[in-house]
Amino acid sequence: QVQLQESGPGLVKPSETLSLTCTVSGGSISGGSYYWSWIRQPAGAGLEWIGHIYTTGSIMTTDYNPSLRSRVVISMDMSKKQFSLQLHSVTAADTAVYYCARELTYFDHWGQGTLVAVSS
Amino acid sequence: DIRMTQSPSSLSASVGDRVTVTCQASQDISSSLHWYQQKPGKAPKLLIYDVSNLETGVPSRFSGSGSGTHFTFTISSLQPEDIAIYYCQQYESLPHTFGPGTKLELK
């Protein structure tokens, strides 16, 4: 059974970079038909897809939500079975629970989520 | 971006009731729609994929239908454990977008 686990700081200062890592266990992260996504959810609000990464052989491809594209980088370390999120120049509006998820058009496996607060 | 709307935004129902939630897309998304259930403090859980296909292990009281721009999600007989927020999600085009959610409460 595939499991995902987010890790990273729970507090980030305004204008700095939010960095999270998702560790995948119980399955392969490379090849196949799967994409690996980041999704966030502000408190009491809905879900926003941030972007995803997928591999075709050794080639990694990313897609990002246009609303965040200028500030987001998603990367992958296949040897560690991890993929990561960097969100630059954060503001209070980036405070949210961040989820990593396995994607196959639908998101069928999710991490438990990690709350990241942006505050000085 | 494709905008997803849901109605109602909240719904109060009794155990055993039939419950229906509507999801509407701002443009034709064919059958590119999934449904999720989210309980407090938990990650969303996939219930239905591609409009009407039940994810493995999901009770048969859950169902979905629709195509194009109009979709429905139904619980045939509401159970106490179904109290949650329900979201639709389109994948017709990137970025993936979700509906704002429908909060289901017990009457």
Side-chain angles (χ1 to χ4, degrees), chain B residues 19-34:
Chain B
V19 170
T20 297
V21 177
T22 296
C23 176
Q24 190 146 352
S26 62
Q27 64 189 70
D28 190 339
I29 60 169
S30 185
S31 298
S32 306
L33 186 101
H34 310 310

PDB file of all heavy atoms in Angstrom, chain B residues 19-34:
ATOM      1  N   VAL B  19     -29.405  12.028  -0.184  1.00  0.00           N
ATOM      2  CA  VAL B  19     -28.733  13.328  -0.265  1.00  0.00           C
ATOM      3  C   VAL B  19     -28.135  13.489  -1.658  1.00  0.00           C
ATOM      4  O   VAL B  19     -27.481  12.566  -2.169  1.00  0.00           O
ATOM      5  CB  VAL B  19     -27.615  13.417   0.795  1.00  0.00           C
ATOM      6  CG1 VAL B  19     -26.754  14.645   0.576  1.00  0.00           C
ATOM      7  CG2 VAL B  19     -28.216  13.420   2.202  1.00  0.00           C
ATOM      8  N   THR B  20     -28.353  14.660  -2.238  1.00  0.00           N
ATOM      9  CA  THR B  20     -27.796  14.926  -3.580  1.00  0.00           C
ATOM     10  C   THR B  20     -27.039  16.239  -3.572  1.00  0.00           C
ATOM     11  O   THR B  20     -27.529  17.255  -3.053  1.00  0.00           O
ATOM     12  CB  THR B  20     -28.910  14.959  -4.636  1.00  0.00           C
ATOM     13  OG1 THR B  20     -29.538  13.664  -4.693  1.00  0.00           O
ATOM     14  CG2 THR B  20     -28.335  15.286  -6.006  1.00  0.00           C
ATOM     15  N   VAL B  21     -25.854  16.220  -4.130  1.00  0.00           N
ATOM     16  CA  VAL B  21     -25.009  17.401  -4.297  1.00  0.00           C
ATOM     17  C   VAL B  21     -24.783  17.607  -5.788  1.00  0.00           C
ATOM     18  O   VAL B  21     -24.577  16.648  -6.533  1.00  0.00           O
ATOM     19  CB  VAL B  21     -23.659  17.217  -3.581  1.00  0.00           C
ATOM     20  CG1 VAL B  21     -22.745  18.412  -3.817  1.00  0.00           C
ATOM     21  CG2 VAL B  21     -23.873  16.996  -2.082  1.00  0.00           C
ATOM     22  N   THR B  22     -24.809  18.860  -6.191  1.00  0.00           N
ATOM     23  CA  THR B  22     -24.604  19.199  -7.597  1.00  0.00           C
ATOM     24  C   THR B  22     -23.275  19.902  -7.793  1.00  0.00           C
ATOM     25  O   THR B  22     -22.865  20.724  -6.962  1.00  0.00           O
ATOM     26  CB  THR B  22     -25.749  20.101  -8.081  1.00  0.00           C
ATOM     27  OG1 THR B  22     -26.980  19.375  -8.016  1.00  0.00           O
ATOM     28  CG2 THR B  22     -25.512  20.581  -9.494  1.00  0.00           C
ATOM     29  N   CYS B  23     -22.613  19.575  -8.870  1.00  0.00           N
ATOM     30  CA  CYS B  23     -21.354  20.217  -9.253  1.00  0.00           C
ATOM     31  C   CYS B  23     -21.499  20.696 -10.690  1.00  0.00           C
ATOM     32  O   CYS B  23     -21.949  19.943 -11.565  1.00  0.00           O
ATOM     33  CB  CYS B  23     -20.214  19.216  -9.128  1.00  0.00           C
ATOM     34  SG  CYS B  23     -18.596  19.801  -9.677  1.00  0.00           S
ATOM     35  N   GLN B  24     -21.142  21.950 -10.921  1.00  0.00           N
ATOM     36  CA  GLN B  24     -21.250  22.512 -12.264  1.00  0.00           C
ATOM     37  C   GLN B  24     -19.903  23.066 -12.703  1.00  0.00           C
ATOM     38  O   GLN B  24     -19.212  23.739 -11.932  1.00  0.00           O
ATOM     39  CB  GLN B  24     -22.308  23.613 -12.294  1.00  0.00           C
ATOM     40  CG  GLN B  24     -22.653  24.088 -13.684  1.00  0.00           C
ATOM     41  CD  GLN B  24     -24.124  24.484 -13.822  1.00  0.00           C
ATOM     42  OE1 GLN B  24     -24.930  24.270 -12.930  1.00  0.00           O
ATOM     43  NE2 GLN B  24     -24.453  25.056 -14.960  1.00  0.00           N
ATOM     44  N   ALA B  25     -19.539  22.781 -13.948  1.00  0.00           N
ATOM     45  CA  ALA B  25     -18.292  23.270 -14.521  1.00  0.00           C
ATOM     46  C   ALA B  25     -18.557  24.475 -15.409  1.00  0.00           C
ATOM     47  O   ALA B  25     -19.609  24.569 -16.042  1.00  0.00           O
ATOM     48  CB  ALA B  25     -17.624  22.174 -15.333  1.00  0.00           C
ATOM     49  N   SER B  26     -17.594  25.387 -15.464  1.00  0.00           N
ATOM     50  CA  SER B  26     -17.752  26.612 -16.255  1.00  0.00           C
ATOM     51  C   SER B  26     -17.659  26.357 -17.758  1.00  0.00           C
ATOM     52  O   SER B  26     -18.000  27.231 -18.554  1.00  0.00           O
ATOM     53  CB  SER B  26     -16.715  27.646 -15.834  1.00  0.00           C
ATOM     54  OG  SER B  26     -15.399  27.157 -16.067  1.00  0.00           O
ATOM     55  N   GLN B  27     -17.198  25.163 -18.135  1.00  0.00           N
ATOM     56  CA  GLN B  27     -17.191  24.767 -19.535  1.00  0.00           C
ATOM     57  C   GLN B  27     -17.286  23.252 -19.606  1.00  0.00           C
ATOM     58  O   GLN B  27     -17.157  22.565 -18.587  1.00  0.00           O
ATOM     59  CB  GLN B  27     -15.932  25.281 -20.246  1.00  0.00           C
ATOM     60  CG  GLN B  27     -14.636  24.701 -19.719  1.00  0.00           C
ATOM     61  CD  GLN B  27     -13.429  25.410 -20.305  1.00  0.00           C
ATOM     62  OE1 GLN B  27     -13.153  26.564 -19.998  1.00  0.00           O
ATOM     63  NE2 GLN B  27     -12.697  24.702 -21.151  1.00  0.00           N
ATOM     64  N   ASP B  28     -17.520  22.759 -20.804  1.00  0.00           N
ATOM     65  CA  ASP B  28     -17.690  21.325 -20.998  1.00  0.00           C
ATOM     66  C   ASP B  28     -16.434  20.560 -20.556  1.00  0.00           C
ATOM     67  O   ASP B  28     -15.338  20.820 -21.069  1.00  0.00           O
ATOM     68  CB  ASP B  28     -17.987  21.051 -22.477  1.00  0.00           C
ATOM     69  CG  ASP B  28     -18.407  19.622 -22.748  1.00  0.00           C
ATOM     70  OD1 ASP B  28     -18.104  18.724 -21.922  1.00  0.00           O
ATOM     71  OD2 ASP B  28     -19.034  19.366 -23.794  1.00  0.00           O
ATOM     72  N   ILE B  29     -16.603  19.648 -19.608  1.00  0.00           N
ATOM     73  CA  ILE B  29     -15.473  18.819 -19.158  1.00  0.00           C
ATOM     74  C   ILE B  29     -15.715  17.340 -19.471  1.00  0.00           C
ATOM     75  O   ILE B  29     -15.070  16.459 -18.894  1.00  0.00           O
ATOM     76  CB  ILE B  29     -15.154  19.007 -17.654  1.00  0.00           C
ATOM     77  CG1 ILE B  29     -16.356  18.620 -16.782  1.00  0.00           C
ATOM     78  CG2 ILE B  29     -14.706  20.448 -17.381  1.00  0.00           C
ATOM     79  CD1 ILE B  29     -16.008  18.542 -15.291  1.00  0.00           C
ATOM     80  N   SER B  30     -16.693  17.086 -20.354  1.00  0.00           N
ATOM     81  CA  SER B  30     -16.995  15.710 -20.744  1.00  0.00           C
ATOM     82  C   SER B  30     -17.298  14.869 -19.492  1.00  0.00           C
ATOM     83  O   SER B  30     -18.204  15.198 -18.739  1.00  0.00           O
ATOM     84  CB  SER B  30     -15.839  15.135 -21.554  1.00  0.00           C
ATOM     85  OG  SER B  30     -16.149  13.852 -22.028  1.00  0.00           O
ATOM     86  N   SER B  31     -16.505  13.834 -19.250  1.00  0.00           N
ATOM     87  CA  SER B  31     -16.694  13.010 -18.049  1.00  0.00           C
ATOM     88  C   SER B  31     -15.477  13.081 -17.130  1.00  0.00           C
ATOM     89  O   SER B  31     -15.180  12.141 -16.390  1.00  0.00           O
ATOM     90  CB  SER B  31     -16.947  11.551 -18.452  1.00  0.00           C
ATOM     91  OG  SER B  31     -18.123  11.440 -19.206  1.00  0.00           O
ATOM     92  N   SER B  32     -14.787  14.196 -17.167  1.00  0.00           N
ATOM     93  CA  SER B  32     -13.514  14.327 -16.434  1.00  0.00           C
ATOM     94  C   SER B  32     -13.742  14.862 -15.030  1.00  0.00           C
ATOM     95  O   SER B  32     -13.291  15.955 -14.672  1.00  0.00           O
ATOM     96  CB  SER B  32     -12.575  15.252 -17.229  1.00  0.00           C
ATOM     97  OG  SER B  32     -12.414  14.801 -18.546  1.00  0.00           O
ATOM     98  N   LEU B  33     -14.433  14.079 -14.224  1.00  0.00           N
ATOM     99  CA  LEU B  33     -14.807  14.568 -12.907  1.00  0.00           C
ATOM    100  C   LEU B  33     -14.699  13.474 -11.852  1.00  0.00           C
ATOM    101  O   LEU B  33     -15.090  12.327 -12.081  1.00  0.00           O
ATOM    102  CB  LEU B  33     -16.260  15.089 -12.931  1.00  0.00           C
ATOM    103  CG  LEU B  33     -16.630  15.752 -11.602  1.00  0.00           C
ATOM    104  CD1 LEU B  33     -16.564  17.261 -11.737  1.00  0.00           C
ATOM    105  CD2 LEU B  33     -17.970  15.297 -11.097  1.00  0.00           C
ATOM    106  N   HIS B  34     -14.168  13.888 -10.688  1.00  0.00           N
ATOM    107  CA  HIS B  34     -14.037  12.990  -9.551  1.00  0.00           C
ATOM    108  C   HIS B  34     -14.689  13.629  -8.315  1.00  0.00           C
ATOM    109  O   HIS B  34     -14.874  14.843  -8.262  1.00  0.00           O
ATOM    110  CB  HIS B  34     -12.563  12.733  -9.226  1.00  0.00           C
ATOM    111  CG  HIS B  34     -11.736  12.334 -10.410  1.00  0.00           C
ATOM    112  ND1 HIS B  34     -12.083  11.333 -11.280  1.00  0.00           N
ATOM    113  CD2 HIS B  34     -10.543  12.827 -10.846  1.00  0.00           C
ATOM    114  CE1 HIS B  34     -11.151  11.228 -12.210  1.00  0.00           C
ATOM    115  NE2 HIS B  34     -10.200  12.116 -11.977  1.00  0.00           N
TER     116      HIS B  34
END
